[in-house]
Amino acid sequence: METIQQRFAVTFSYPVIFTQQLFDPQNPKLRDFLSQYGERDFRKKIFFCIDSGVLAAHPTLQSQITHYFESVPTLSLVPEWLVIPGGEAAKNAPALFDQIVEAVDQYGIDRHSFVAAIGGGAVLDLVGYAAAVSHRGVKHIRIPTTVLSQNDSGVGVKNGINYRGKKNFLGTFAPPVAVFNDTAFLRTLDDRDWRSGISEAIKVALIKDKVFFEWLEANAKALAQRDEAAMQYLIHRCAELHMQHISGGDPFESGSARPLDFGHWAAHKLEYLTHFEVRHGEAVAIGIALDTYYSQLTGRLSETDTQRVIQVLHELGFKLYHPALAEQDSVHLINGLREFQEHLGGRLTITLLDAIGVGVEVHEMDTVLIQKAVVVLQGETV
Amino acid sequence: METIQQRFAVTFSYPVIFTQQLFDPQNPKLRDFLSQYGERDFRKKIFFCIDSGVLAAHPTLQSQITHYFESVPTLSLVPEWLVIPGGEAAKNAPALFDQIVEAVDQYGIDRHSFVAAIGGGAVLDLVGYAAAVSHRGVKHIRIPTTVLSQNDSGVGVKNGINYRGKKNFLGTFAPPVAVFNDTAFLRTLDDRDWRSGISEAIKVALIKDKVFFEWLEANAKALAQRDEAAMQYLIHRCAELHMQHISGGDPFESGSARPLDFGHWAAHKLEYLTHFEVRHGEAVAIGIALDTYYSQLTGRLSETDTQRVIQVLHELGFKLYHPALAEQDSVHLINGLREFQEHLGGRLTITLLDAIGVGVEVHEMDTVLIQKAVVVLQGETV
Ligand SMILES: NC(=O)c1ccc[n+]([C@@H]2O[C@H](COP(=O)([O-])OP(=O)(O)OC[C@H]3O[C@@H](n4cnc5c(N)ncnc54)[C@H](O)[C@@H]3O)[C@@H](O)[C@H]2O)c1
Ligand SMILES: NC(=O)c1ccc[n+]([C@@H]2O[C@H](COP(=O)([O-])OP(=O)(O)OC[C@H]3O[C@@H](n4cnc5c(N)ncnc54)[C@H](O)[C@@H]3O)[C@@H](O)[C@H]2O)c1
Ligand SMILES: [Zn+2]
Ligand SMILES: [Zn+2]
């Protein structure tokens, strides 16, 4: 009997919409999106999951949402909410996943209804995962509330939770139906979270876009002083670069195409070594500094370019060293290389810099030079 | 700030390969597929999950597999197996899902390694789901061992498990990388499982392919007598029709395109009402008979066509009535309509017949006529 070859393409599309005060009754963006989506004559449900940290900082959020939906007769707002502990805790508790799945069942959310998540990257990752596997995928709307989630994690196609201490061990590739980036949420971030997500912009600029890097240099001080207009531009450009990378490459990472992970091998390891006391974005800043020095030590990157990178990180207020990097002569850190390879599968691939704006992939790293780079970083901090 | 519109297409492709004695060292099909897949110079792992019912009927299977892989130096066979209870039990126990995920972790299965499942539709649904969400998707190979899984569930794109009694409540759309249909497995099926999957072929023939239906009429007796050549043809054609439907439509069912579910609204309800004592394929046969009579009662389908459908089901040995259909004047059954709508979302859509080979979608059903059709079925059985 002859082999039957199956082959088809699935198209995914979603807008990332920029706004302020999403739930102001005068703001038509969410309302318009929802009423134009899918079958128009069918009354759709929407169910909200909210990050506890966001709710604490925006105590009137629930009543705002209720009020907003009073003016949208074609939608039926589920009158209960799920408030989810903000931060990495959201991704460590299987019971929270169960709670979302049960809510989907209890409130009769079907594949034509929406599950919306408001929160930081961790809450979005959890809710996105639960939504992706309930009924094999209910429609998911993301409303990211941190810099990192607005410019990176929230605009992409991945979700996930941790499983018995393994970061993002369970998850899917599942694009949302829409993302709403509301700048007003960022005002209540503490300084660490405001700063932390900026490292993803530096990362993507360094490997893809010199002009954007120069903009970051010019605006580093303003950003450090929480200039909102500068942050809006940064988020928009950074989101755009991430999204282009996804659509231009291998969106669901089925082949050997790489995610945008400059500086990330060391960052992941550092998060672990510090039991996530160092935030993802903070760890990425250190990882960028490390791989920048490493790029210089291997003769790829000029001294001047190296100093420009370090300088912009400093100006933004990032710490570029953590004692965990040097523990046991950096052996722990270096183990992170193998773990990084295992997580992605296939052979080791690390992004380095040939110049500002020019990333390059390599397939091995010299452990002695990594140790040297750590020593240089340690010197930097004093 | 301007909206950023994301848009990309992801292409999926996989072969469904027909063979006999897949693990005979002389049989190159699996070996060839594996060594040609992905990065060639990278030594890939393969991990097997096996249906306990299959293992009981093929006690030398594990040693055959071990022996087979001795001749494939580019692959590393994980020396442990996971034996999974066959049948619906596989989908009801969250602990089994956890076991697979843990094995993926423990044996270092990454996104370039394979998880292969050998078994009936239930085991494939469970393993496919666990593989799809581990590391956001490791490569999955299906080796279906029942008629139903070889001609329908195993060649498609869905997986899933039950959640607190809700059938397929958790799952994803995740194509395998390859499917191997080995006829030799079918010899050990009991008569119920041999027959049961044939109803899916009748279903797809009735709504899509009159010529195939006529072939089924001509071969009903041979199939009932377990003629292997006839079964091979049936499985090949049925798989092909299912696969064409998937690739020609909306593979991940994101819009309102329908799965191939003629006869299925009543079948799903009947499986529940009988606590899955009636097999899926058996319930589908009854569902087909019911919706065929209903099509006649509403004046769509001719008397002659109706009788041909009933006749072929009879000849194959299907029972066309179950007392649960009539319980409480069929009110339980009729509730299945709403549940069917809720599971798929959007508005009710039911497939009926205008003629043999010609399905038609309707958006309501007359409950009095459903009750009448049940009474007719009841009469048929005596
Ligand atoms: N899916 C992806 O592609 C992807 C990519 C990168 C990172 N991530 C994940 O994102 C997570 C990190 O996300 P994050 O940096 O957004 O931090 P976070 O989600 O951990 O949130 C940090 C803290 O900020 C609080 N918070 C969130 N919004 C707030 C607001 N507007 N005002 C006040 N407090 C607020 C939260 O409650 C939490 O306590 C990690 O789990 C990481 O793995 C995912
Ligand atoms: N994913 C999909 O698209 C899809 C479509 C239709 C049905 N399904 C699912 O498929 C399941 C039913 O699958 P099924 O009909 O294959 O039955 P099954 O998987 O329930 O298996 C029936 C019995 O046969 C045994 N068995 C399997 N292969 C055997 C062999 N070769 N020899 C001897 N015994 C063997 C099993 O151990 C089990 O006891 C249901 O859970 C249904 O929901 C899934
Ligand atoms: Zn990152
Ligand atoms: Zn079926």
Side-chain angles (χ1 to χ4, degrees), chain A residues 16-246:
Chain A
V16 176
I17 294 162
F18 294 81
T19 191
Q20 292 239 16
Q21 306 291 1
L22 184 63
F23 298 109
D24 181 331
Q26 307 301 314
N27 187 334
K29 293 198 168 178
L30 179 57
R31 192 162 60 218
D32 288 355
F33 171 80
L34 291 170
S35 50
Q36 277 151 36
Y37 191 89
E39 285 181 48
R40 287 184 195 213
D41 50 345
F42 181 74
R43 193 181 165 92
K44 294 154 231 162
K45 284 183 196 158
I46 184 165
F47 171 63
F48 278 87
C49 299
I50 308 180
D51 184 316
S52 63
V54 175
L55 196 57
H58 302 262
T60 61
L61 185 58
Q62 286 163 315
S63 62
Q64 276 177 63
I65 295 175
T66 306
H67 188 53
Y68 186 84
F69 282 96
E70 281 162 4
S71 63
V72 192
T74 52
L75 267 144
S76 117
L77 174 67
V78 173
E80 311 280 323
W81 322 80
L82 210 57
V83 177
I84 294 172
E88 203 63 24
K91 294 169 68 172
N92 281 326
L96 294 173
F97 171 83
D98 288 349
Q99 252 189 294
I100 301 169
V101 170
E102 262 149 49
V104 166
D105 181 29
Q106 187 184 339
Y107 302 124
I109 307 296
D110 63 27
R111 289 222 297 257
H112 295 252
S113 304
F114 302 94
V115 170
I118 306 177
V123 167
L124 299 188
D125 272 2
L126 164 69
V127 180
Y129 177 51
V133 298
S134 296
H135 291 301
R136 301 197 182 103
V138 297
K139 311 268 176 251
H140 179 45
I141 290 175
R142 298 201 198 116
I143 303 170
T145 58
T146 62
V147 172
L148 183 103
S149 56
Q150 291 196 359
N151 74 10
D152 179 347
S153 81
V155 303
V157 296
K158 299 189 222 179
N159 57 51
I161 58 175
N162 310 332
Y163 185 77
R164 310 208 175 166
K166 306 267 164 178
K167 178 97 176 159
N168 295 330
F169 197 82
L170 295 178
T172 68
F173 292 92
V177 297
V179 180
F180 292 88
N181 274 344
D182 179 346
T183 322
F185 281 117
L186 306 180
R187 287 175 202 148
T188 55
L189 288 174
D190 66 29
D191 283 345
R192 277 183 80 179
D193 286 307
W194 170 276
R195 179 187 304 113
S196 165
I198 299 175
S199 60
E200 302 286 2
I202 300 174
K203 167 201 77 178
V204 69
L206 281 174
I207 58 181
K208 294 229 168 196
D209 186 345
K210 187 175 181 177
V211 174
F212 185 37
F213 184 80
E214 285 165 350
W215 181 92
L216 286 162
E217 289 182 310
N219 290 273
K221 288 227 166 58
L223 287 163
Q225 285 155 19
R226 299 192 68 143
D227 179 308
E228 228 175 75
M231 185 56 98
Q232 273 178 34
Y233 177 81
L234 176 144
I235 287 173
H236 192 275
R237 181 66 187 141
C238 182
E240 191 169 44
L241 286 165
H242 277 99
M243 290 166 70
Q244 282 166 3
H245 179 83
I246 291 168

Side-chain angles (χ1 to χ4, degrees), chain B residues 4-208:
Chain B
I4 308 176
Q5 183 64 44
Q6 179 64 299
R7 192 180 173 84
F8 57 82
V10 179
T11 300
F12 298 91
S13 85
Y14 59 93
V16 176
I17 293 162
F18 294 80
T19 192
Q20 292 239 16
Q21 306 291 1
L22 183 63
F23 298 110
D24 181 332
Q26 306 301 314
N27 188 334
K29 293 200 168 175
L30 179 56
R31 191 163 61 218
D32 288 356
F33 171 81
L34 291 170
S35 50
Q36 276 152 35
Y37 192 89
E39 285 181 48
R40 287 182 196 215
D41 50 344
F42 181 75
R43 193 182 166 91
K44 295 153 230 163
K45 283 184 198 157
I46 183 164
F47 171 64
F48 279 87
C49 300
I50 308 181
D51 185 316
S52 63
V54 176
L55 197 56
H58 302 262
T60 62
L61 185 59
Q62 286 163 315
S63 62
Q64 276 179 62
I65 295 175
T66 306
H67 187 53
Y68 186 84
F69 281 96
E70 281 164 4
S71 63
V72 191
T74 52
L75 266 144
S76 119
L77 174 68
V78 174
E80 310 280 324
W81 322 79
L82 210 56
V83 178
I84 294 171
E88 204 64 25
K91 294 169 68 172
N92 282 325
L96 293 173
F97 171 84
D98 287 349
Q99 252 188 296
I100 302 170
V101 170
E102 262 149 49
V104 166
D105 181 28
Q106 187 183 339
Y107 302 124
I109 307 295
D110 62 28
R111 289 222 297 258
H112 295 254
S113 304
F114 302 94
V115 171
I118 306 179
V123 167
L124 299 187
D125 272 2
L126 164 69
V127 180
Y129 177 52
V133 299
S134 296
H135 290 303
R136 300 196 183 102
V138 297
K139 312 268 177 251
H140 178 45
I141 290 175
R142 297 201 198 118
I143 303 170
T145 58
T146 62
V147 173
L148 183 104
S149 57
Q150 290 196 359
N151 74 11
D152 179 347
S153 80
V155 302
V157 296
K158 300 189 220 179
N159 57 50
I161 58 174
N162 309 331
Y163 185 77
R164 309 204 176 168
K166 307 267 163 178
K167 177 95 176 160
N168 295 329
F169 198 82
L170 296 178
T172 68
F173 292 92
V177 296
V179 181
F180 292 89
N181 274 344
D182 179 347
T183 322
F185 281 118
L186 306 179
R187 288 176 202 148
T188 55
L189 287 174
D190 66 28
D191 284 345
R192 277 183 80 179
D193 286 308
W194 171 277
R195 178 186 304 114
S196 163
I198 299 176
S199 60
E200 302 286 3
I202 299 174
K203 167 201 77 180
V204 69
L206 281 174
I207 58 181
K208 294 227 168 196

Side-chain angles (χ1 to χ4, degrees), chain B residues 195-252:
Chain B
R195 178 186 304 114
S196 163
I198 299 176
S199 60
E200 302 286 3
I202 299 174
K203 167 201 77 180
V204 69
L206 281 174
I207 58 181
K208 294 227 168 196
D209 186 345
K210 187 175 180 179
V211 173
F212 185 35
F213 184 79
E214 285 163 352
W215 182 93
L216 287 163
E217 289 182 311
N219 290 273
K221 288 229 164 59
L223 289 164
Q225 286 156 19
R226 300 192 66 144
D227 180 308
E228 228 176 74
M231 185 56 98
Q232 274 179 34
Y233 177 80
L234 177 145
I235 287 173
H236 192 276
R237 181 66 187 142
C238 182
E240 192 170 43
L241 287 165
H242 276 99
M243 290 166 72
Q244 281 167 2
H245 179 83
I246 291 167
S247 59
D250 174 12
F252 292 177

